[in-house]
Amino acid sequence: MLLFCILGLLVHFVFFGSIFDIYFTSPLVHGMTPQFTPLPPPAKRLVLFVADGLRADTLYEFDENGNTRAPFIRNIIMHEGSWGISHTRVPTESRPGHVALIAGFYEDVSAVAKGWKENPVGFDSLVNESKYTWSWGSPDILTMFAKGVGGDHIYTYSYDAESEDFGAHDVTKLDTWVFDNVKEFFHAARNNQSLFSKVNEEKIVFFLHLLGIDTNGHAHRPTSREYKDNVKVVDDGIKEIVSMLEHFYGNDGKTAFIFTSDHGMTDWGFHGAGHPSETLTPFVSWGAGIKYPQKVSAQKFDDAFLKEWKLENWKRQDIHQADVAPLMASLIGVPFPLNSVGILPIDYLNNTDLFKAESMFTNAMQILEQFKVKMTQKKEATLPFFFTPFKLLSESKQLNILRKARSYIKQRKYDEAVSLCKELIHLALKGLSYYHTYDRFFLGINVVLGFVGWTSYASLLIIKSHSITRGVSKEVKKPSHLLPCSFIAISVLVAFFLLIQDCPWTYYVYCLLPMPIWYAVLREFQVIQDFVLSLLTFPPSQLVGYLFVFTLGIEVLVLSFFYRYMLTAGLIAFACWPFITQLWTRAKSISLSWIFFSLLLAVFPLMPVVGRKPDIFLVMGAGLLVLLLSLCVVTSLIRRKDRFINEELLLHLFQMLSIMLSMCVVYTTHDSLLKKQGLPLFNQIISWITLASSFVLPLLSPTSLFERLFSILLSSMSAYLLLSTGYEALFPLVLSCLMFVWIQVEQETLQQLSVSYKQKVTSLQFTYNPDITQFRQIYLDDVRRAFFLVFFLVTAFFGTGNIASVNSFDLASVYCFLTVFSPFMMGALMMWKILIPFVLVMCAFEAVQLTTQLSSKSLFLMVLIISDIMALHFFFLVKDYGSWLDIGTSISQYVIVMSMTIVLVFLNGLAHLLTTKKLELCGKPKSHLI
């Protein structure tokens, strides 16, 4: 079993990693020639203001009194510059947003492994191309553009990371710190000749990163007074900085200003996915080279924003976030960032038609350079007779378009030249995507072969171990050497094919892994043949019926990833299940409990996603219910035992005390944060101690099935309460009650199968080591048990939110542990919150395996098979087209199913540890005898 688990983990890690090679490879290429507009730029310097986490509607709309929240920016829109909406892409995080703004390309997804703080592949940016850049703000953002850049032309000024505290009294200080330091900088420049000389150079950039709005949004929600008031603070600060700069430079008219945001934020204070509140950000520009406001009588937009914002008469010009980088490069005359895929928004430029045409021509050349490098790389790594070029942009067509565009510019047909350059850009971008996904189909076929092979192999292990084909005569045939020789020959040919094409080492893994798997399958050809013959002995209608029910179950599980209410439908079906079996007539009390808790759990998937409507009193209510249940259980145990062991009573009392402490910590932390007094240190210490003890306390309880499972529930609930913000605090309690009933139900159903051995659940011990000879044969009902487990696991995942969408998470759920921004620590805590219901289900499954007397290997294999069929389903559903929300969700769904399969192996071991191991205090063995 251990060897099989290791092999299974290896195979699934490969399948999991394949998605990153197929869909998450870096789009960046290197070796391009810098391109810049040959004409004098309109601006000498650029000032970039980025209000982190600012939504477009919050900036542009009027408040409840009919006043604008940002009077200075509003005045710019109406009298000095141009405006619009900047459309961001998934993931709507700070790092990817700033990369799109300053480097002009959408984040390399492989940077997720580094928490969006570093890019594993180097890239060019506006900051790198500038003569000098000074930046102020968060250390997380500023350092990523300075890291690895040669020379000493980039200067960063940042506050301590500890200042990014969601529980701080006033987080607008993050913005006022930036404004104050910029003022001090220019004051110092007047008295420092060297610095004065630098700030008066051409092609320089000032970057102000303003984090206060984002921090207030996470801490108080974007609908809060704190978030909206922070917009006014930023507006006032920008007004002062602009006035100071104009005075410093003597109103020379050579400064360009851009104000925007990296991403928005949902109403419940999160970002990362593709909701419009996250992807729609403000964009306002003014100063040198920027068009003045344009009054219009009508505008064509599908939304109703213009009327809501009372800007219907001021021309709105929307852009994509990556378009900002070429715009800034054009304004100060630096080369376009080499990796930029942005298209210059020439409608923002206040310059000659010649300048616009030349700038667009430069933009086209810069993107075409990337296409050429990408094509060359793929061509050199592919055998000539296998290479298929991008037909829409051949070399002759490239030359023809460039020649025509240059000719139009000479003839002063600037509009035609711009149109032709845009056509070339769109073709080059399509070509980049074509070569970036060139090997996708080839890799996908190999992964699918591996999936199908592994699922077939796991099925054969179950068939062999339980002699399902025993009714069919078998003849043991001498193994042939033809099969292994054939697979070795094919493997050598595949390896040679990959070698001559200089493929990455991961390609060898994906292409060669199916070989040993399919060899292991085909060498059991006799077993396959006998199994098929045994299936033919079933009535066709019965076989089709079983297949239909199994397929329907899988589809319900798959659909639950898209529609949470499918879990409700499934749980209602579970509630009806006793009526179609003998369970209702044999054990009505257990059946009624099963029906009640199934229907109660079915309510949770219909509730709003966690975090959108926090309610601390529901968390308190959940704690009280756990305490009430604990009192009932302890009373029952005292009555049932002649003498209740002191250590056991103390343990239960300590766990109840832990629940009460968790309730107090949640309430007082919530109250302290509302008063903006921060996270109390005592609460933080208690929270971490409670979390750590939740792993240890269950190991001190007796190993009898009921007491150990109840101890695990109490310890899990004490930690889960600390991580809860609303109704989800009730979820593990209801789920655990259903799990207790499930154990009873499975034992009752065994009698229908004429299994002679039956022991009371209350007398079962997790430490009981059954004789392997007592393991019974597999029945069709065991497939149902495996399906129940997978369904409960999916319910544990999606019961309180759609975790396939990152914005389902709520940062407020970790505020009892920390409030200073730490993505990895916060992510780990939120992940443990997700896994707690998962652990409860797995511990119950351990008990089910014990009560049903079936080999854990067989049940576990069936679970893996169902999970892998789901994973294969989602592999085909992964898409790289459509909306960014659809793309991100489709990929995350596959990752979740694959993670579930991998984590299942780990949590199976954790559940086994939590249920079977026993720690003795002071080395004194405990006895249950009088």
Side-chain angles (χ1 to χ4, degrees), residues 673-693:
L673 292 177
L674 278 181
K675 294 176 179 177
K676 298 183 181 180
Q677 294 174 353
L679 171 62
L681 179 60
F682 177 76
N683 288 15
Q684 189 174 22
I685 293 170
I686 292 294
S687 297
W688 284 107
I689 291 174
T690 302
L691 181 65
S693 66

Side-chain angles (χ1 to χ4, degrees), residues 111-131:
V112 72
K114 297 192 176 182
W116 301 116
K117 288 192 177 184
E118 288 184 34
N119 199 302
V121 182
F123 61 89
D124 189 28
S125 70
L126 176 83
V127 168
N128 188 37
E129 296 292 352
S130 67
K131 188 161 188 178

Side-chain angles (χ1 to χ4, degrees), residues 312-325:
E312 56 265 46
N313 295 324
W314 307 97
K315 188 174 182 181
R316 166 181 156 189
Q317 302 176 76
D318 287 8
I319 63 171
H320 294 291
Q321 196 171 52
D323 300 342
V324 178

Side-chain angles (χ1 to χ4, degrees), residues 463-474:
I463 294 168
K464 284 181 66 180
S465 62
H466 291 274
S467 304
I468 292 175
T469 61
R470 63 177 180 271
V472 182
S473 62
K474 304 185 185 75

Side-chain angles (χ1 to χ4, degrees), residues 110 124 150 152 222 444 533 644 714 758 778 840 855 892 903 927:
S110 57
D124 189 28
D152 57 351
L533 290 173
F644 198 57
L714 289 183
K758 184 185 178 185
I778 194 170
L840 293 173
S855 165
S892 63
V903 172
S927 172

Side-chain angles (χ1 to χ4, degrees), residues 616-646:
I616 204 68
F617 294 105
L618 284 175
V619 181
M620 297 295 102
L624 288 173
L625 283 175
V626 175
L627 288 174
L628 184 62
L629 182 63
S630 302
L631 285 172
C632 295
V633 170
V634 171
T635 305
S636 173
L637 288 172
I638 292 174
R639 287 176 179 175
R640 196 176 70 209
K641 295 188 177 184
D642 294 331
R643 181 182 174 188
F644 198 57
I645 306 302
N646 290 334

Side-chain angles (χ1 to χ4, degrees), residues 486-514:
S486 300
F487 272 93
I488 291 171
I490 295 171
S491 300
V492 170
L493 285 173
V494 169
F496 180 72
F497 173 76
L498 296 173
L499 181 65
I500 58 178
Q501 294 197 105
D502 196 26
C503 293
W505 67 270
T506 51
Y507 283 37
Y508 290 84
V509 177
Y510 304 139
C511 296
L512 295 177
L513 182 62

